């Protein structure tokens, strides 16, 4: 096969305790998955099914990176999230089978242009410009899945001050429910990542900020924000 120019490298994420890397195929994200965050955004948690959106695979950024403050926003927000790494594909996956499709877990941040998202919501426009930009998916190393993850502290600090602090047990849709719902609309494939939504406490980042976050039991994620 000859291409008209060199194809891009495959986006990938570090794996805890291994030199092998997890190749990223797609990034799916869940909107509105913690009751307190749904309320802080002015929505009723019980009234709506899960919302899915996507980011490009090459939006991933390694832990330890200096991330440029995104273009086209003056309100860049952090959203710490549990990330599922899919290792076995499938459509219409039953909740009871969901765990067998999960290769591992990581902590990630769904960086968001909140000003652009607010404008999109107002007119019912897509969220791509708010969510799917370059370097919008910092993610820690993936820990291979062990026992099902049902309860774990999830938190995010900016410059040593805790901004988000919750537990994944507070998710409106649990990990198996997220996999089941998502796989009704997409045939999941090995390499897919799923950002599972953020708890309350989201807020803005500024140039010079140091971000640290973790899900209990998983490798932590840190990054800084620098000028473009
Ligand atoms: Mn999010």
């Amino acid at each position: 096969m000859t291409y008209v120019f060199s194809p891009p490298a495959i986006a990938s994420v570090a794996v805890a305790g291994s030199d092998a890397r997890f190749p990223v195929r797609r990034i799916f994200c869940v909107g509105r998955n913690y009751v307190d965050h749904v309320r802080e955004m002015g929505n009723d948690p019980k009234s709506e099914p899960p919302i899915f959106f996507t980011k490009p695979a090459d939006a991933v950024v390694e832990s330890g990176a200096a991330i440029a403050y995104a273009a086209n926003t003056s309100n860049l927000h952090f959203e710490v999230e549990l990330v599922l790494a899919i290792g076995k594909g499938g459509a219409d996956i039953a909740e009871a089978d969901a765990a067998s499709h999960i290769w591992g877990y990581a902590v990630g941040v769904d960086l968001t242009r909140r000003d652009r998202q607010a404008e999109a919501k107002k007119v019912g426009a897509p969220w791509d410009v708010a969510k799917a930009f370059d370097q919008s998916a910092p993610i820690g190393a993936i820990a291979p899945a062990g026992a099902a993850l049902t309860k774990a502290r999830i938190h995010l600090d900016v410059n040593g001050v805790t901004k988000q602090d919750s537990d994944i047990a507070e998710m409106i849709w649990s990990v198996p429910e997220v996999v089941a719902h998502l796989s009704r609309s997409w045939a999941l494939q090995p390499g897919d990542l799923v950002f599972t939504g953020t708890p309350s406490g989201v807020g803005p980042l500024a140039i010079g900020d140091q971000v640290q976050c973790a899900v209990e039991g998983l490798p932590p994620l840190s990054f800084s924000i620098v000028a473009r």
Side-chain angles (χ1 to χ4, degrees):
M1 169 103 52
T2 302
Y3 295 102
V4 296
F5 52 82
S6 296
I10 291 174
S12 65
V13 176
V15 171
S18 173
D19 290 334
R21 296 180 64 82
F22 183 92
V24 181
R25 189 176 193 279
R26 295 174 292 190
I27 302 175
F28 297 101
C29 306
V30 183
R32 301 175 184 164
N33 201 19
Y34 286 78
V35 171
D36 46 4
H37 176 59
V38 171
R39 290 210 177 103
E40 83 177 342
M41 300 302 284
N43 298 297
D44 174 357
K46 295 212 171 73
S47 69
E48 298 162 39
I51 289 172
F52 296 113
F53 58 92
T54 63
K55 293 174 185 273
D58 64 0
V60 291
V61 186
E62 292 280 311
S63 185
I67 297 178
Y69 193 100
N72 187 24
T73 183
S74 52
N75 199 14
L76 179 67
H77 269 212
F78 54 81
E79 296 188 355
V80 67
E81 312 200 354
L82 171 69
V83 181
L84 318 180
I86 301 296
K88 188 176 97 184
D92 298 319
I93 297 167
E95 285 174 32
D97 297 334
S100 70
H101 292 263
I102 298 173
W103 190 89
Y105 297 97
V107 62
V109 172
D110 167 19
L111 288 174
T112 300
R113 288 169 169 143
R114 193 69 73 201
D115 40 6
R116 300 292 84 83
Q117 187 192 31
E119 291 165 359
K121 282 179 173 177
K122 203 175 292 177
V123 297
W127 287 8
D128 300 56
V129 76
K131 293 288 196 178
F133 51 93
D134 297 342
Q135 297 192 296
S136 61
I139 180 170
I142 298 171
L149 207 52
T150 55
K151 185 166 170 48
R153 183 188 180 212
I154 180 169
H155 72 103
L156 178 144
D157 297 356
V158 180
N159 303 325
V161 178
T162 300
K163 302 288 189 180
Q164 294 186 274
D165 195 354
S166 186
D167 195 291
I168 63 161
E170 302 296 316
M171 293 197 299
I172 297 169
W173 291 283
S174 66
V175 168
E177 288 170 335
V178 165
V179 171
H181 272 281
L182 187 59
S183 69
R184 287 176 205 160
S185 294
W186 288 269
L188 297 182
Q189 300 286 346
D192 289 339
L193 298 176
V194 185
F195 282 60
T196 57
T198 198
S200 66
V202 302
L205 290 168
I207 291 164
D209 280 349
Q210 304 284 336
V211 178
Q212 263 124 15
C213 54
V215 170
E216 186 183 356
L218 303 179
L221 164 64
S222 62
F223 60 90
S224 59
I225 299 294
V226 297
R228 246 180 326 123

